[in-house]
Every structure is written in structure tokens, then in C-alpha cells.
Amino acid sequence: MLSIAERHKYILDKLNEYGFIRITDVAEELGVTKVTIRNDVKILESKGLLYKVHGSARLANPHIADRDLMTKSLLNREAKERIAARAAELLCDNDSIMISAGSTTYALAEVIRNSKTEQAINVVTPFLKVSALLNEMENVSVEQLGGRVYKKSFSTLGENASLALKYMVCSKFFVGVDGIDPEFGITTSTIEEAQLSRKMIDASSKTVVLADSSKFGRRGFGHIAPLEEVDIIVTDDGISKEMREMVESMGIELIIA
């Protein structure tokens, strides 16, 4: 039987490799009880070496703070550009799509504009920067959702923003998120943004999540939807093997940019 030090090393090695572990899985792999591993995890958490959450452990606190769009746009910029380019390949002529607020969704809008595509596209969005950018294109029709403007995301929010969705049906919803978690699904930083994204999911045939690999295992304050309601995730090659297997096991199409 492994010593306490050997178990702790095993747990930390697994965390460094996969980003998170499940207590049940580690207990089975080491042939010990779940209580033993829970106690090990508590000790490691007290030393600041991991973060324990509902039967699992992670390298860092998964909960994220709300950040403004400018700050987000500076993070993982190259990965976001690759993700946006792959996401743009999903567009079809005469498509009607929805685009949420976010730095990666804005990168998608930049790809659409810079491609100078002749495809006719209808775009519905609460994101003011996307509306302004794509309104320059003659073949793109933009429907700007109304409502109160949230300064950090340059997005309209509230009941007025969602009223028009009752009369729309789109083929795809491209949504940026702040967190993708096996237990908590897709999340964003604020409740109001999450509520609007939820209604945009309901008004679309497919939900396409655009998220760089740093978003996996993270949680925002506002819950949008469980992972079961996601059709496609477009991310970068930094996603861990375990997260990739988890996503694909749920029947979600995973596109690696």
C-alpha cells in the first residue's frame, strides 16, 4: 500500500497532467477508500496545492471574476483567432445566426468581415461592437437587440434585450463563455448575461461554444446551460486529454483549432 507521501505525489502528478481529478477515480486507481483520498485532498488544499470541489479537485480555484472586454481580449489572443477562423467555416449562405458578447465571438466577427465573403448572413446580437463591425458589410444584415448597455461587455442586457427573440429562429448560436465545467456546464460572469444567452439557445437550432482551453474546468457566476445542450465546442489544442474525452463522450462535436 502506498504511503501518504506517495498518494499525495500521485494526486498532484495527476492534477498537473489533467488539470482536475475525481476522488472516486483516484480511490479506485490506488485501491483505497474515498474517505482516504478526501482526507489527502483536504491536506493538500490546506497547503494551497489544489482546490477541492464536490467530489473532485483542481489545480486552482475554478471560480472566476468578471473582467472587462478589453482585459479579456488581451488573453490568449492567438488561440482565439484560430478558434474564430474554424468557427467561421461553419457558416452557410443565407445563414441566420446569433452571436453573444465576448472577446472570442468578436474575433469571429472580425474573421467574417476580413474574409470579404459574399455569403448572405443575418446576424442577431446584443453585442454593440459586433453590430458596428458587421454593419459595414453589404451582404450582412444585423439585428441589434435592445436593452440596457452593460459597460464591461458592451452588450445589451435585461428583458428588453430578450423580447425580440420570441419572434426569431436562427440556425446557430455562437456563444462565448467564461467557464466550461463537467458538473456546472457553460457559465459566464454575470447572471443577466447568462439569462440572455439561455434565451438565445432556445431561439437557435444549434449551440456552438467558442472557448480557448483555459476556460475548461472554470466557472463563472451565471449559469447558462448544462453541457448536454451544447452541440459543438470550438477550442484550441491546449485542451487536456481528459477534458477532450469527457466532451466527446457526451456526444458533443469537438473542433480543435
Side-chain angles (χ1 to χ4, degrees):
M1 182 177 291
L2 295 179
S3 66
I4 292 176
E6 288 172 326
R7 289 200 308 271
H8 288 185
K9 182 179 184 303
Y10 183 88
I11 290 169
L12 293 175
D13 286 346
K14 281 288 185 179
L15 280 174
N16 285 320
E17 183 177 1
Y18 296 112
F20 80 99
I21 57 158
R22 292 186 178 89
I23 287 174
T24 299
D25 294 340
V26 174
E28 291 178 356
E29 290 164 7
L30 297 183
V32 297
T33 66
K34 288 186 286 186
V35 173
T36 298
I37 300 303
R38 284 196 196 98
N39 290 334
D40 288 337
V41 167
K42 286 180 181 178
I43 293 170
L44 292 170
E45 184 179 42
S46 70
K47 296 179 179 179
L49 298 174
L50 54 77
Y51 188 87
K52 182 180 179 297
V53 184
H54 295 304
S56 65
R58 303 166 192 277
L59 280 174
N61 187 336
H63 300 283
I64 57 174
D66 189 17
R67 292 176 292 194
D68 62 66
L69 183 66
M70 181 61 70
T71 300
K72 290 180 179 180
S73 67
L74 298 175
L75 302 173
N76 304 314
R77 181 64 190 175
E78 291 184 4
K80 291 174 180 178
E81 290 173 349
R82 297 198 307 271
I83 290 166
R86 289 299 304 273
E89 295 174 6
L90 299 174
L91 297 174
C92 305
D93 194 25
N94 293 313
D95 234 346
S96 292
I97 65 172
M98 294 188 180
I99 300 178
S100 77
S103 55
T104 312
T105 52
Y106 186 70
L108 170 62
E110 289 180 314
V111 171
I112 294 172
R113 185 200 60 180
N114 294 337
S115 69
K116 296 181 172 57
T117 177
E118 296 182 0
Q119 291 178 324
I121 302 172
N122 296 312
V123 175
V124 179
T125 185
F127 195 4
L128 297 174
K129 291 190 68 176
V130 162
S131 294
L133 185 69
L134 296 184
N135 194 55
E136 300 173 1
M137 302 182 67
E138 291 186 7
N139 58 311
V140 177
S141 175
V142 178
E143 184 75 29
Q144 171 66 54
L145 298 179
R148 176 176 58 85
V149 177
Y150 183 51
K151 295 184 184 298
K152 282 191 175 182
S153 64
F154 296 98
S155 175
T156 55
L157 296 174
E159 185 62 26
N160 288 334
S162 61
L163 284 175
L165 296 175
K166 296 179 181 178
Y167 308 101
M168 298 177 186
V169 178
C170 291
S171 62
K172 305 175 189 76
F173 173 35
F174 294 93
V175 56
V177 300
D178 289 316
I180 302 175
D181 185 273
E183 297 173 84
F184 288 84
I186 54 174
T187 55
T188 190
S189 299
T190 69
I191 292 176
E192 283 188 296
E193 286 185 299
Q195 289 172 335
L196 182 58
S197 290
R198 168 72 263 177
K199 292 180 179 179
M200 294 172 82
I201 287 175
D202 293 338
S204 303
S205 299
K206 284 188 176 182
T207 298
V208 184
V209 172
L210 309 185
D212 67 78
S213 57
S214 71
K215 304 296 176 61
F216 286 87
R218 307 305 299 275
R219 300 174 186 172
F221 183 60
H223 178 258
I224 299 172
L227 279 175
E228 288 81 1
E229 296 189 39
V230 173
D231 298 287
I232 302 170
I233 295 177
V234 188
T235 188
D236 61 82
D237 57 9
I239 182 174
S240 70
K241 178 183 177 183
E242 189 168 34
M243 280 293 185
R244 182 184 300 209
E245 291 173 350
M246 179 274 296
V247 169
E248 293 176 336
S249 70
M250 298 180 71
I252 300 170
E253 181 181 352
L254 186 64
I255 298 176
I256 306 295

